[in-house]
Amino acid sequence: MTGFDEDVVIVGSGFGGAVAALRLTEKGHRVRVFEAGRRFEDEDFAKTSWDVRRYLWAPGLGCFGVQRIHRLPHVMILAGAGVGGGSLNYANTLYQPGGAFFADRQWAGIADWETELAPHYATAKRMLGVVERYPHSGPVERIMAGAAEDLGVGSTFRHAPVGVWFGKPGERTADPFFGGEGPERTGCTLCGNCMVGCRVGAKNTLMKNYLALAERRGAIIEPLRTVTEVRALAGGGFAVTTRRSGAWLRHGQRTVTAREVVLAAGTWGTQQLLHRMKHTGALPHVSDAVGRLTRTNSEALDGAVATRVPESLALASGVAITTSFHVDESTHVENVRYGPGSNLMGALATVMVPGDRSLARRLGGVVVRALRSPIRQFRLGSLRRWSERGIIALVMQTADNSLTLSLRRRFGRLTMTSAQGHGEPNPSHLPQAHRAARAIAARMRSEGGVPAEARGSWPEVFGIPLTAHFLGGAVISASPADGVIDSYHRVWGHPGLHVVDGAAVPANPGVNPSLTITALAERALSFWPRAGDDDERPPQTPVAG
């Protein structure tokens, strides 16, 4: 088939989709990006997380914010929404994973990934404006350093690499990254609300780099368009059907055709499409391995909170994540903060209880603690000034555990569900996270002289871990029996369809995955031909095992 509406349609505008949009327009392709979320200017973001309509994503209820929350039987997922995807509400933290990630057996035999990805990590760091070491230090950073010392791992403590324009606080300046071709920027004011949406203009979201440059080169970005179908056409190419996000009646459904399609809707969105299109026959050749090796980064969200904190302690001042340390070889801990007033996510926090107990005993532990010290537990659990009284501990592991996702019919509708997958069982709690949270609480007491206590989360009490880094399920593989895409990110059986987002990541990186997703996308797009040139990528051939 010839005469497509577009050369390439990209589904999603996060780290993978943004890279695809820029690199393909640079190569002369006609590109259209569909994004389910809305477009934000700096002043459009919520001032605090209590502005639910601008903060949370629930389009059917009129909430078009940046924070998605999804639920599966084995995990609760925090993700992003909007033009720029997860970059709008991520913690602008850009670590490169260690050797265990590149050596994972799922993909180690395909290439020397650490060596091959090295130049693409360098490009990703330059494009995302990575500052290798957070340049400030305050009470939280001292508490984290002290907690690492108390745990006997002080040598692993470091300031985080972050994607922020620090400049002069609050001062507007011409683009400092791309020779003036990018948008103007404003120096970071350390307000702490990176994950609610940066109203200052300091955070290096994808709208400040990849997407801004892609639009200058002709990419068309359509916000508030949810892709409902990607169908392989008999003569080649694809038909992509969209509808208006959140519409109850006037859906505005329409279809465009494209020679090739890039799926970059985030792990949740990309898996939804692949599962559904395989089920309906729109993409009949998608591997039966879809949904396998879905990863949560073996993650936990715990922390410490005080009943009161003096103004001088300033726990909420800084960017979202500033430091980290390793509890052990495979377990990485970062401090996380929201800015003053952004207290909504505190509703997920509760008493920390041992995770190896039954549900009844875990719930009983919460009740007993509340009855023993009702006033103290009320004050600890209060959302008033929660972000100014606590430190969230984000804990990630390189452990080889996974979930398998599939479709099930419930109440007449097809929905995604989960089961334990390959490797160790996906953990419902991490003892290392509890140790870290207790050490942080102890340092808050000794450093700040405040009554602090380690805290867990309600999902953890119910045996459901939280993750902000949902990955995999359409992973790189040597053959369609082992995964969904080849080493060029082409879907096995549908080589004109590509997965270029977190769904392609084959293992738990044990650190924030945004830089890795960007590097993988840079590598994948580097192989694409310029418009009109021959495609030098080899035909899809499974690698002999």
Side-chain angles (χ1 to χ4, degrees), residues 161-441:
V162 294
V164 177
W165 169 242
F166 287 101
K168 291 185 178 179
E171 183 176 298
R172 194 77 168 168
T173 186
D175 164 49
F177 294 105
F178 306 106
E181 191 179 0
E184 290 184 342
R185 308 301 304 279
T186 302
C188 179
T189 60
L190 305 182
C191 73
N193 265 330
C194 312
M195 296 187 297
V196 178
C198 180
R199 292 173 57 87
V200 174
K203 182 178 181 179
N204 296 345
T205 67
L206 295 167
M207 277 306 301
K208 306 298 187 187
N209 38 68
Y210 283 102
L211 293 175
L213 299 176
E215 284 193 306
R216 285 199 170 202
R217 288 159 174 75
I220 298 171
I221 302 174
E222 290 198 49
L224 295 173
R225 300 298 303 181
T226 297
V227 173
T228 57
E229 182 180 73
V230 178
R231 178 173 292 276
L233 299 174
F238 301 87
V240 180
T241 301
T242 66
R243 63 192 301 178
R244 190 160 57 89
S245 298
W248 287 81
L249 295 174
R250 297 178 180 176
H251 300 141
Q253 182 167 300
R254 55 189 173 86
T255 299
V256 300
T257 59
R259 178 171 40 82
E260 301 196 58
V261 170
V262 173
L263 296 182
T267 299
W268 179 273
T270 291
Q271 278 216 46
Q272 285 268 8
L273 280 170
L274 289 172
H275 280 289
R276 291 175 183 275
M277 298 307 97
K278 180 177 174 63
H279 176 80
T280 63
L283 297 172
H285 305 304
V286 169
S287 167
D288 290 339
V290 65
R292 296 182 204 159
L293 294 180
T294 299
R295 310 284 191 170
T296 66
N297 215 7
S298 193
E299 206 155 280
L301 281 161
D302 294 313
V305 68
T307 55
R308 57 176 175 79
V309 168
E311 296 281 342
S312 60
L313 206 54
L315 298 183
S317 177
V319 303
I321 291 174
T322 57
T323 65
S324 72
F325 57 82
H326 277 83
V327 176
D328 56 36
E329 189 177 74
S330 64
T331 307
H332 187 225
V333 181
E334 299 171 355
N335 69 283
V336 185
R337 62 162 60 85
Y338 286 90
S342 289
N343 303 316
L344 181 62
M345 298 301 279
L348 293 174
T350 187
V351 170
M352 178 177 283
V353 294
D356 55 357
R357 298 177 177 177
S358 67
L359 174 59
R361 292 187 67 193
R362 292 196 300 269
L363 288 170
V366 173
V367 172
V368 167
R369 291 280 290 279
L371 292 176
R372 282 179 178 171
S373 53
I375 295 175
R376 176 181 173 83
Q377 292 305 320
F378 174 80
R379 293 175 68 186
L380 287 169
S382 170
L383 297 185
R384 183 176 182 273
R385 299 188 67 189
W386 170 78
S387 64
E388 300 169 74
R389 294 186 289 112
I391 299 172
I392 302 167
L394 170 59
V395 184
M396 298 164 278
Q397 293 184 320
T398 54
D400 186 16
N401 48 49
S402 70
L403 298 173
T404 297
L405 269 57
S406 60
L407 289 180
R408 70 173 177 182
R409 189 169 295 279
R410 191 177 187 190
F411 305 121
R413 296 176 62 246
L414 283 173
T415 60
M416 281 210 298
T417 189
S418 61
Q420 293 291 353
H422 156 87
E424 305 166 21
N426 199 61
S428 60
H429 75 289
L430 295 177
Q432 299 96 323
H434 288 201
R435 291 208 313 271
R438 292 191 183 100
I440 292 168

Side-chain angles (χ1 to χ4, degrees), residues 482-499:
D482 304 315
V484 174
I485 60 176
D486 64 19
S487 62
Y488 297 93
H489 290 243
R490 301 172 299 191
V491 172
W492 291 109
H494 295 284
L497 182 65
H498 311 257
V499 175

